[in-house]
Amino acid sequence: MDDTTIRIGVQTDRQSGSGSLDPMDRLIVALDFPSANAAMGLVERLEGSCRWFKVGMELYYAAGNRVIEELRERGYEVFLDLKLHDIPNTVTGAVRSVTGVGASLLTIHAGGGERMMRAAAQAAREPGAPNLLAVTVLTSMDEVELRAIGVNETASSQVLRLARLAQAAGIGGLVCSAEEVAAVRAAMGPEVRLVVPGIRPAGAGGGDDQRRVASAAEAIARGASMLVVGRPITQAADPARAAAEILAEIAGAL
Ligand code: C5P
């Protein structure tokens, strides 16, 4: 994998930013699996159905860089969702360690603070480094949980506070829920990349760990650049069909 390929992938997406009219640029399928074998089984079932895969902690800790390289060899863009949250020096080292591996996007936690984000942004200026996204408030958290960790604001105002901090630190993208994406888009402008997880098919009940959820169409209509979808696709009886339905929903909302 050469660096040019990685950069082209990022730039294509950056140009389309929040404005690509191709639904395939807007969908990221979360490969939350315990092994490379299980993940690649799903990748094969989704061939031709998507362009982006997210490798999170579960898969990365089990399979390491090799799974990213394999996805790149198959022509996919990779979002490495490690949600880094540590002292600035350690996060800098972590960004350097994944530079050149082939991920186009990498997450850090905005809650790590401005100095941590600035340090990460500095490390991500090196050739071959992924573009950074700052995770604001996890989509699994509601206001009761926020209060329990000492955050006495609404989820929306906490997300906006962290979004502004991330912007001040030089981070070009954010992860937030569909509930606050419209406010973040209005506050941050058209260029910032807003990635929204917690996507559930319209009419689906709750029942899992996600709390601040919306349908794909709602999230796109409110200003999301890209959607992260895991279980609604990966656990579907027919994952390719589930992906096609979400792509159709996205297309309808663009
Ligand atoms: O299965 P589901 O669609 O809930 O998967 C959502 C994915 O997005 C998971 O991999 C989760 O780690 C990730 N994510 C999230 N909320 C955030 C950031 C990432 O759900 N704020």
Side-chain angles (χ1 to χ4, degrees), residues 91-176:
V91 169
T92 297
V95 173
R96 286 196 187 130
S97 288
V98 299
T99 290
V101 169
S104 300
L105 295 171
L106 172 70
T107 44
I108 61 172
H109 260 296
E114 188 171 344
R115 275 193 306 126
M116 187 205 84
M117 289 192 277
R118 244 182 232 294
Q122 174 74 29
R125 282 192 200 104
E126 293 302 312
N131 280 359
L132 298 181
L133 298 172
V135 177
T136 54
V137 175
L138 294 171
T139 44
S140 58
M141 293 194 81
D142 57 21
E143 272 155 34
V144 174
E145 275 200 289
L146 283 174
R147 270 200 299 281
I149 60 163
V151 176
N152 292 311
E153 305 191 52
T154 61
S156 290
S157 57
Q158 179 67 0
V159 167
L160 276 169
R161 170 198 295 275
L162 292 171
R164 292 199 176 98
L165 206 59
Q167 195 175 49
I171 307 290
L174 296 159
V175 181
C176 65

Side-chain angles (χ1 to χ4, degrees), residues 30 32 54 81 83 135 138-139 175 197 200 210 228 230-232:
D32 291 323
K54 182 171 88 70
D81 189 18
K83 296 191 176 69
V135 177
L138 294 171
T139 44
V175 181
R200 293 293 176 266
Q210 295 284 23
V228 174
R231 289 161 289 182

Side-chain angles (χ1 to χ4, degrees), residues 28-218:
I28 304 168
V29 178
L31 291 175
D32 291 323
F33 289 102
S35 69
N37 265 356
M40 295 323 280
L42 183 85
V43 168
E44 264 152 36
R45 293 183 75 184
L46 285 178
E47 205 184 325
S49 301
C50 65
R51 262 177 219 149
W52 280 85
F53 282 110
K54 182 171 88 70
V55 175
M57 296 177 204
E58 183 182 4
L59 181 57
Y60 190 70
Y61 293 155
N65 289 343
R66 182 67 203 117
V67 76
I68 299 176
E69 288 158 6
E70 191 163 343
L71 289 168
R72 295 291 298 150
E73 282 156 17
R74 293 177 187 225
Y76 293 104
E77 296 285 340
V78 176
F79 169 11
L80 183 56
D81 189 18
L82 297 183
K83 296 191 176 69
L84 304 175
H85 190 164
D86 209 315
I87 60 170
N89 186 57
T90 301
V91 169
T92 297
V95 173
R96 286 196 187 130
S97 288
V98 299
T99 290
V101 169
S104 300
L105 295 171
L106 172 70
T107 44
I108 61 172
H109 260 296
E114 188 171 344
R115 275 193 306 126
M116 187 205 84
M117 289 192 277
R118 244 182 232 294
Q122 174 74 29
R125 282 192 200 104
E126 293 302 312
N131 280 359
L132 298 181
L133 298 172
V135 177
T136 54
V137 175
L138 294 171
T139 44
S140 58
M141 293 194 81
D142 57 21
E143 272 155 34
V144 174
E145 275 200 289
L146 283 174
R147 270 200 299 281
I149 60 163
V151 176
N152 292 311
E153 305 191 52
T154 61
S156 290
S157 57
Q158 179 67 0
V159 167
L160 276 169
R161 170 198 295 275
L162 292 171
R164 292 199 176 98
L165 206 59
Q167 195 175 49
I171 307 290
L174 296 159
V175 181
C176 65
S177 93
E179 283 186 10
E180 47 290 325
V181 70
V184 177
R185 175 65 68 209
M188 303 281 131
E191 295 300 319
V192 64
R193 187 198 312 261
L194 300 181
V195 178
V196 174
I199 301 302
R200 293 293 176 266
D208 63 26
D209 55 342
Q210 295 284 23
R211 290 293 174 272
R212 299 186 344 274
V213 301
S215 72
E218 286 164 335

